[in-house]
């Protein structure tokens, strides 16, 4: 996807095919000859890891769908039947459930990396926005997948989240009824969530293709944040990036499989092993860990509508990051002040996650409000002002100079 | 950045992610259940066949009068990694159950059970179960050991990832079974129909003390005590909730060895490939 290919197939058959559909050249220029900055660190391997996780989720999900029944009376039972009676069903289901968590862990690392190294800045704005769209789609997909289990936490999470839309003035209740397909979360809700949960991963895959395309047009950012200037600044994707990504994928699989085989229910909630019961509200309703920071932002604001606005705003504001950050230096490595504000922001995000799991009372409410304030101030106040006032460190002349020293 | 740093960072990121994990079942001002040494804990954990057989006997003679086990087939008692009953034993056991069915003429009949049948429920439906038990149906026991737990708190729950502690459910159930007190402490007002339990959230549990010394006689000479019963029936419930646990842990060990070797080979390949450009 990076300009004209120099790919020349050896065999006559492939030459014949290449003239008619140059897919070999496309793959060659995208994943073999594609020049990657030579100074990429391991934080850059998470794009590959995320592609792998999407693949695992789609494959395990398609097989699970062969055994799952989207009906309020049968959903929970069919999940348990997968766990008990389907050959390796327990493995498929634990891979899928923990895979979602690992997918989010990887995407958060990927996003933090993008923000630290200024990967959203010119000429990568569209690349970044496509990433925000993928993240939004992931959140919708993950939420609906969690509901399909139809345990107590599934049902009540569906009730709480869909009810957020009732905060919209005037038409809120109508929208919620439309989302439910009835007057409460019920069979039509479960059925449409199943349909959408099957559809959205393929939409994600489509946007991922655009994301990779945009990446290969703009080229990868790198830890110095300066663009490659000569061939000495880059190495071919294969074998260099391939083998590096492969190594870290294998490491990530160890972590993932540790959860799947040894602590498969650690990230879940015990209540989700109780079948959904609309008549009994659980003692506490908490979302999956990867939504907790947003849940804390929602609850930190006393007004329901403003809380929902803050919740969606906290995600959508990411799309405006390329224009909120006014600094001309991309990488946080050369921005001493930004670095401190960034790490504080990371701590605040994790802190919000912790607060999201706590009851909304006393000190937790006050902390949630302070943390929410900093979350938004980082984007709206700190980043625009830093570009004006921050004194950045001198940049190296080129990527190769930063790696090999000034002598090279 | 060096590889070591990156791995360390990834570990920290995982710990951080777990830090944000939802709190476990909420328990107010009750002591944490004592940790029992379970045979199925840890990376090489296995169910104890004798214990599961004893536990099943307790379920059959005591629990099953109120609690259903509807997600399990009777035949699953003979599955690998479970209580280790033989096919013949399970067939004989299944035949003891009366299963409601419809015959060729469309008449409702009761026939002898078969291994493929699921365990029949003690009540006709949830409403009947609730009516017979003071308004709330006793929970189905098929997934109970995974549907219960207690708040581990920081930093224990982060360490649980590494120590592989997944027995909060069994520890809680064991604590409930052994946590009944004849009388509530002075000053505690007990609502009508309630029973005092040290470990139940709020201390008021509707279920009367289900197990006492001498209630069930074991064929293998194990002591007929509450201490023995509570461990055995809890292990049985864990098996009922997670029948593929042994298979899972065994497969996991193979997968781990494969992945560690793969990662090692990938690391050295990467080092070799990159040695030319560094």
């Amino acid at each position: 996807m990076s300009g004209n290919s120099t790919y020349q197939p050896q065999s006559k058959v492939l030459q014949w095919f290449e003239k008619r559909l140059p897919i070999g050249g496309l793959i060659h220029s995208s994943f073999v000859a594609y020049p990657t900055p030579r100074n990429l660190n391991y934080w850059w391997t998470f794009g590959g890891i995320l592609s792998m996780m999407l693949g695992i989720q789609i494959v395990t999900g398609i097989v699970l769908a062969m055994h799952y029944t989207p009906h309020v009376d049968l959903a929970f039972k069919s999940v348990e039947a997968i766990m008990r009676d389907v050959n390796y069903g327990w493995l498929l289901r634990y891979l899928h459930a923990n895979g979602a968590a690992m997918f989010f862990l990887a995407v958060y690392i990927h996003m933090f990396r993008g923000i630290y190294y200024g990967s959203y800045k010119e000429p990568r704005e569209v690349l970044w926005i496509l990433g925000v769209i993928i993240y939004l789609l992931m959140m919708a997909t993950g939420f609906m997948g969690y509901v399909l289990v139809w345990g107590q936490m599934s049902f009540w999470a569906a009730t709480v989240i869909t009810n957020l839309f009732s905060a919209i003035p005037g038409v809120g209740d109508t929208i919620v009824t439309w989302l439910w397909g009835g007057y409460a979360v019920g069979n039509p809700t479960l059925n449409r969530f199943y349909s959408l949960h099957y559809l959205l991963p393929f939409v994600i895959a489509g946007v991922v293709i655009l994301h990779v395309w945009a990446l290969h047009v703009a080229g990868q950012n790198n830890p110095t944040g300066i663009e490659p200037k000569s061939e000495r600044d880059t190495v071919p994707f294969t074998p260099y990036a391939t083998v590096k990504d492969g190594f870290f994928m294998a490491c990530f699989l160890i972590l993932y499989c540790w959860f799947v085989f040894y602590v498969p229910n650690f990230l879940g909630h015990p209540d989700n092993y109780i079948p959904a019961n609309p008549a009994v509200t659980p003692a506490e309703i908490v979302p999956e860990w990867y939504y907790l920071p947003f849940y804390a932002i929602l609850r930190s604001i006393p007004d329901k509508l403003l809380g929902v606005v803050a919740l969606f705003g906290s995600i959508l504001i990411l799309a405006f990051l390329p224009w909120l950050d006014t600094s001309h230096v991309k990488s946080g490595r050369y921005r001493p002040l930004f670095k401190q504000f960034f790490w504080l922001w990371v701590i605040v995000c994790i802190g919000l996650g912790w607060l999201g799991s706590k009851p909304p009372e006393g000190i937790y409410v006050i902390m949630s409000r302070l943390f929410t304030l900093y979350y938004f101030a980082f984007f709206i106040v700190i980043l625009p002002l830093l570009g004006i006032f921050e004194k950045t460190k001198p940049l190296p002349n080129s990527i190769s100079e930063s790696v090999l020293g000034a002598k090279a | 950045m060096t590889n070591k740093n990156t791995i360390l960072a990834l570990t920290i990121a995982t710990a951080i992610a777990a830090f944000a994990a939802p709190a476990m079942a909420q328990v107010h001002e009750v002591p944490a259940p004592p940790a029992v040494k379970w045979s199925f804990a840890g990376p090489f954990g296995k169910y104890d066949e004798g214990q599961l057989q004893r536990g099943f006997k307790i379920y059959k003679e005591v629990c099953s009068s109120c609690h259903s086990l509807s997600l399990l087939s009777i035949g699953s008692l003979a599955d690998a990694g479970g209580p280790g009953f033989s096919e013949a034993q399970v067939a004989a056991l299944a035949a003891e159950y009366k299963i409601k069915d419809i015959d060729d003429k469309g008449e409702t009949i009761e026939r002898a059970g078969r291994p493929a049948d699921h365990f029949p429920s003690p009540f006709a439906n949830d409403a009947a179960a609730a009516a017979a038990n003071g308004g709330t149906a006793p929970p189905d026991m098929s997934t109970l050991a995974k549907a219960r737990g207690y708040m581990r708190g920081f930093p224990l729950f982060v360490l649980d990832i590494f120590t592989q502690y997944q027995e909060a459910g069994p520890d809680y159930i064991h604590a409930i079974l052994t946590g009944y007190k004849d009388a509530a402490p002075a000053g505690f007002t007990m609502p009508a129909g309630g029973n005092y339990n040290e470990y139940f959230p709020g201390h008021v549990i509707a279920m009367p003390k289900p197990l006492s010394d001498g209630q069930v006689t074991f064929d293998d000479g194990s002591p007929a005590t509450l201490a023995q019963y509570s461990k055995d029936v809890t292990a049985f419930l864990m098996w009922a909730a997670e029948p593929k646990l042994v298979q899972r842990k065994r497969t996991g060990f193979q997968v781990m060895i494969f992945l560690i070797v793969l990662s090692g080979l990938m690391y050295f390949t990467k080092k070799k490939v990159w040695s030319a450009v560094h």
Side-chain angles (χ1 to χ4, degrees):
Chain A
M1 295 180 193
S2 58
N4 290 330
S5 171
T6 53
Y7 175 67
Q8 276 297 331
Q10 298 291 311
S11 88
K12 283 260 184 293
V13 180
L14 285 179
Q15 281 173 11
W16 179 91
F17 191 84
E18 193 67 10
K19 263 194 174 151
R20 283 147 187 89
L21 184 70
I23 200 160
L26 179 71
I27 292 169
H28 187 269
S29 66
S30 303
F31 301 108
V32 180
Y34 176 67
T36 65
R38 63 187 299 157
N39 60 336
L40 296 186
N41 57 35
Y42 279 106
W43 299 115
W44 259 267
T45 61
F46 282 87
I49 288 169
L50 284 162
S51 313
M52 173 182 76
M53 291 314 301
L54 179 62
I56 291 173
Q57 290 302 89
I58 288 179
V59 171
T60 53
I62 286 173
V63 184
L64 286 170
M66 295 175 190
H67 300 283
Y68 172 78
T69 313
H71 186 279
V72 288
D73 294 334
L74 299 169
F76 187 88
K77 283 181 187 160
S78 72
V79 171
E80 278 300 315
I82 289 169
M83 295 292 288
R84 292 159 194 277
D85 302 331
V86 174
N87 290 330
Y88 289 97
W90 57 270
L91 178 57
L92 285 168
R93 197 232 164 177
Y94 281 153
L95 279 172
H96 198 72
N98 287 285
M102 292 296 134
F103 203 162
F104 275 97
L105 174 66
V107 89
Y108 285 138
I109 295 173
H110 194 62
M111 290 161 77
F112 282 135
R113 188 272 288 157
I115 295 173
Y116 182 79
Y117 291 111
S119 297
Y120 45 81
K121 288 186 196 178
E122 200 216 335
R124 299 185 183 83
E125 300 92 331
V126 172
L127 170 63
W128 174 261
I129 292 170
L130 287 166
V132 176
I133 293 170
I134 294 170
Y135 176 54
L136 273 173
L137 287 167
M138 278 175 66
M139 292 184 92
T141 311
F143 160 65
M144 287 189 276
Y146 190 59
V147 173
L148 297 188
V149 183
W150 212 243
Q152 269 292 69
M153 221 30 93
S154 298
F155 178 88
W156 289 97
T159 304
V160 170
I161 301 298
T162 49
N163 255 316
L164 294 180
F165 293 91
S166 70
I168 302 168
V171 290
D173 289 331
T174 317
I175 288 176
V176 173
T177 307
W178 177 73
L179 287 174
W180 285 339
Y183 296 103
V185 173
N187 202 54
T189 325
L190 176 61
N191 232 312
R192 63 191 54 189
F193 276 22
Y194 176 61
S195 170
L196 293 172
H197 184 71
Y198 205 117
L199 169 71
L200 288 185
F202 296 97
V203 179
I204 292 177
V207 186
V208 165
I209 290 172
L210 295 180
H211 190 68
V212 173
W213 187 6
L215 174 73
H216 285 219
V217 170
Q220 280 163 294
N221 186 27
N222 65 81
T224 64
I226 49 178
E227 302 299 323
K229 288 170 184 157
S230 69
E231 276 190 20
R232 294 176 59 240
D233 290 341
T234 61
V235 289
F237 191 90
T238 301
Y240 296 99
T242 325
V243 72
K244 200 169 178 173
D245 282 359
F247 166 56
F248 230 53
M249 276 181 197
C251 294
F252 193 79
L253 281 175
I254 294 177
L255 173 75
Y256 175 26
C257 288
W258 182 277
F259 276 88
V260 168
F261 291 102
Y262 295 129
V263 285
N265 294 305
F266 178 83
L267 295 167
H269 196 291
D271 277 10
N272 228 26
Y273 278 107
I274 303 170
N277 185 351
V280 178
T281 317
E284 49 170 12
I285 302 172
V286 281
E288 290 280 81
W289 68 266
Y290 35 87
Y291 301 128
L292 285 171
F294 305 103
Y295 193 52
I297 289 175
L298 168 78
R299 295 190 308 181
S300 70
I301 292 169
D303 181 77
K304 187 176 176 183
L305 177 60
L306 287 178
V308 173
V309 169
L311 167 69
F312 286 104
S314 64
I315 304 161
L316 292 177
I317 201 164
L318 290 167
F320 297 94
L321 198 46
W323 298 279
L324 290 168
D325 183 349
T326 52
S327 174
H328 294 295
V329 174
K330 284 195 191 105
S331 172
R333 193 182 268 185
Y334 308 103
R335 302 183 61 190
L337 277 178
F338 166 83
K339 214 184 256 183
Q340 295 172 32
F341 285 114
F342 168 81
W343 286 113
L344 185 60
W345 182 73
V346 172
I347 292 166
V348 160
C349 289
I350 294 162
L352 281 168
W354 170 64
L355 290 164
S357 74
K358 293 284 165 195
E361 57 199 25
I363 185 77
Y364 299 132
V365 177
I366 298 163
M367 286 176 78
S368 296
R369 286 182 187 160
L370 287 173
F371 282 29
T372 302
L373 197 67
Y374 183 79
Y375 180 94
F376 283 104
F378 178 73
F379 292 108
I380 300 169
V381 183
I382 296 168
L383 284 182
L385 290 181
L386 273 185
I388 302 166
F389 296 108
E390 187 179 34
K391 188 168 161 16
T392 56
K393 289 192 207 161
L395 296 174
N397 289 318
S398 69
I399 293 173
S400 53
E401 188 192 290
S402 82
V403 179
L404 305 165
K407 279 175 289 176
Chain B
M1 183 173 290
T2 66
N3 302 316
K4 264 181 203 155
N5 280 347
T6 314
I7 292 165
L8 179 72
L10 192 64
T11 315
I12 292 168
T14 316
I16 283 163
F19 184 62
M24 304 297 274
Q26 205 172 37
V27 177
H28 288 301
E29 62 211 76
V30 287
V36 178
K37 205 168 158 27
W38 301 107
S39 69
F40 47 82
F44 304 106
K46 283 185 180 64
Y47 291 117
D48 173 343
E49 285 190 1
Q51 184 171 48
L52 294 194
Q53 293 198 7
R54 293 194 298 273
F56 173 65
K57 192 163 199 256
I58 299 166
Y59 169 75
K60 190 164 166 270
E61 292 181 11
V62 184
C63 319
S64 69
S65 55
C66 296
H67 291 276
S68 58
L69 193 65
S70 59
L71 298 175
L72 275 77
S73 67
I74 302 167
S76 65
L77 289 171
D79 285 353
F85 287 109
S86 69
E87 299 285 345
Q89 280 175 308
V90 168
L93 176 79
E96 291 175 23
Y97 287 99
K98 294 276 169 282
I99 306 290
K100 282 203 172 59
D101 207 343
I102 293 167
D103 70 4
D104 325 350
K105 298 188 189 74
E107 306 289 336
T108 307
I109 55 158
E110 274 199 342
R111 59 166 175 81
R114 295 186 284 255
D117 289 317
H118 282 209
F119 283 97
S121 298
F123 299 99
N125 49 56
D126 277 355
N133 288 282
T136 309
D140 183 89
M141 281 185 158
S142 314
T143 54
L144 196 68
K146 290 197 284 187
R148 294 293 182 274
Y150 64 96
M151 183 117 73
R152 294 283 284 167
F154 183 82
L156 263 187
F157 84 97
V158 179
L159 297 176
D160 287 349
I161 301 174
F162 304 99
T163 60
Q164 301 186 358
Y165 180 78
Q166 282 270 284
E167 290 77 37
D171 280 349
Y172 172 81
I173 292 173
H174 172 266
I176 291 292
L177 290 173
T178 52
Y180 281 89
K181 294 272 178 286
D182 293 335
F188 190 92
T189 10
M190 179 61 65
N195 302 278
Y196 190 85
N197 192 302
E198 203 182 341
Y199 295 102
F200 194 76
H203 297 302
V204 184
I205 185 167
M207 173 170 73
K209 188 173 195 270
L211 292 167
S212 306
D213 288 349
Q215 201 169 346
V216 178
T217 311
F218 291 130
D219 312 322
D220 65 357
S222 294
T225 58
L226 173 62
Q228 184 72 32
Y229 296 154
S230 52
K231 285 195 184 79
D232 291 350
V233 77
T234 304
F236 172 75
L237 290 179
M238 187 61 202
W239 169 78
E242 189 76 357
K244 301 297 161 76
L245 176 141
V246 177
Q247 195 187 354
R248 164 161 65 77
K249 291 187 173 182
R250 202 175 47 220
T251 314
F253 187 62
Q254 294 161 348
V255 168
M256 280 297 155
I257 289 182
F258 172 81
L259 284 177
I260 289 166
V261 171
L262 176 71
S263 300
L265 293 175
M266 289 298 292
Y267 173 71
F268 289 112
T269 313
K270 187 254 159 198
K271 230 177 136 170
K272 179 96 174 46
V273 166
W274 278 81
S275 64
V277 290
H278 270 317

